[in-house]
Amino acid sequence: KYEGENGWTHPLSSNRIDVKPVIPMKEQLRHFCDIIQNGAQPRCSGRDGIETLKAAIAIGESARSGTPVTLE
């Protein structure tokens, strides 16, 4: 990994992260059950979920209308 300044004149670096293949929905449900049954800390807040949903809805509206949609 290159340490120091970033920019076009510096070499790129890469890291390989080994990730176990999983089914995302299954893992989300497993985490949800862990929150309910064991009091685990949620990975994101309800507010984060609402903001993500607003963004997804705005993307759909923009795609349908062909115009930008502003989020507040």
Side-chain angles (χ1 to χ4, degrees):
K1 183 173 182 177
Y2 182 77
E3 299 292 332
E5 293 185 39
N6 295 321
W8 291 108
T9 60
H10 299 286
L12 295 175
S13 65
S14 67
N15 293 326
R16 180 170 176 81
I17 300 173
D18 291 322
V19 179
K20 179 179 84 171
V22 297
I23 299 170
M25 179 62 85
K26 185 175 179 180
E27 292 304 310
Q28 289 173 2
L29 288 172
R30 185 186 321 266
H31 179 59
F32 179 74
C33 290
D34 194 27
I35 292 168
I36 301 302
Q37 295 172 343
N38 304 316
Q41 185 68 29
R43 293 186 181 127
C44 67
S45 69
R47 172 69 55 204
D48 291 337
I50 290 169
E51 295 303 317
T52 300
L53 181 57
K54 285 180 184 179
I57 291 169
I59 289 167
E61 287 177 15
S62 181
R64 280 188 295 280
S65 69
T67 60
V69 173
T70 302
L71 296 176
E72 296 179 21

